C-alpha cells in the first residue's frame, strides 16, 4: 500500500510511443490525474524524462 502525504513516493510512468521522448527539453511540465486517491485529481511536476528506458519521473 502506498504511503500518503510527504512520505509518499512520486509516481514513475513508462511509455511505449516515441512522442513523449520529444518532450525531454520542455521546461516546467506538469501532469494531472488521479494518483493517490481515486476521487481527487492532482497535478505533479515532471522532474525528468529518461528517453533510453522510456520513463517519466515526477517530483
Amino acid at each position: 500500500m502506498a504511503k500518503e502525504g510527504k512520505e509518499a513516493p512520486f509516481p514513475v510512468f513508462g511509455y511505449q510511443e516515441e512522442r513523449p521522448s520529444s518532450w525531454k527539453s520542455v521546461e516546467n511540465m506538469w501532469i494531472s490525474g488521479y494518483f493517490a486517491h481515486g476521487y481527487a485529481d492532482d497535478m505533479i511536476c515532471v522532474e525528468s524524462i529518461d528517453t533510453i528506458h522510456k520513463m517519466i519521473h515526477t517530483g
Side-chain angles (χ1 to χ4, degrees), residues 2-3 5-13 30-31 35-36 42-48 55-59:
K3 297 178 182 178
K6 292 183 179 181
E7 296 180 26
F10 287 107
V12 176
F13 299 94
W30 291 74
I31 55 175
F35 303 113
D42 200 1
M43 301 240 357
I44 300 175
C45 179
V46 173
E47 186 174 290
S48 65
M55 303 296 285
I56 298 173
H57 298 267
T58 62

Side-chain angles (χ1 to χ4, degrees), residues 20-38:
S21 293
S22 68
W23 305 336
K24 185 171 176 64
S25 62
V26 174
E27 295 182 26
N28 199 23
M29 185 185 325
W30 291 74
I31 55 175
S32 65
Y34 298 91
F35 303 113
H37 306 285

